Amino acid sequence: QLQLVESGGGLVQPGGSLRLSCAASGSTLDYYAIGWFRQAPGKEREGVSCISMMFGNPNYTDSVKGRFTISKDNAANTVYLQMNSLKPEDTAVYYCAARYPAYCRVARDEYKYWGQGTQVTVSS
């Protein structure tokens, strides 16, 4: 059974940076797509970024393009989300999720395995 664990969240000032990690256990991620989602209080969970562990092909929602970078380490069975130039509107709980096969999709219902989430708060 695939399990995902996020880490790296925290409190950061506007303009700061954080790097989130999504570490997998129980199965190799090689045949999955990994998505990062976020959910702010009172809002629906939205897709932020996704990468195919097999093909790469990172993609991003418009609001984070140029600021966030998703990357993968197949050997470490881990996906990262580097978040730069953070804004207060980036405040949310961030989740990683896995989808088989290794093609990214926007809809969160396409992802079967989810981590527990990590809080990111951007505030001065």
Side-chain angles (χ1 to χ4, degrees):
Q1 179 79 355
L2 179 62
Q3 294 183 320
L4 303 173
V5 177
E6 303 95 337
S7 61
L11 173 64
V12 64
Q13 292 187 342
S17 298
L18 285 174
R19 189 176 82 153
L20 305 184
S21 298
C22 173
S25 62
S27 175
T28 177
L29 287 182
D30 287 356
Y31 307 108
Y32 290 85
I34 303 300
W36 282 99
F37 294 78
R38 66 185 180 186
Q39 188 166 19
K43 294 188 177 181
E44 290 197 357
R45 194 171 297 187
E46 64 169 348
V48 175
S49 182
C50 182
I51 192 166
S52 167
M53 299 299 286
M54 186 174 292
F55 307 112
N57 298 331
N59 59 66
Y60 305 91
T61 192
D62 286 346
S63 62
V64 307
K65 283 180 181 176
R67 301 189 297 122
F68 290 11
T69 302
I70 191 170
S71 61
K72 63 184 181 74
D73 185 338
N74 290 68
N77 227 24
T78 300
V79 172
Y80 305 96
L81 186 67
Q82 177 68 41
M83 306 187 297
N84 299 329
S85 302
L86 282 161
K87 305 175 181 180
E89 51 263 44
D90 295 318
T91 295
V93 178
Y94 283 71
Y95 301 88
C96 65
R99 178 184 186 274
Y100 177 88
Y103 301 100
C104 286
R105 292 291 184 268
V106 174
R108 58 182 184 267
D109 291 348
E110 294 274 354
Y111 294 80
K112 179 177 181 180
Y113 303 99
W114 289 81
Q116 82 290 349
T118 185
Q119 177 70 48
V120 171
T121 302
V122 184
S123 174
S124 55

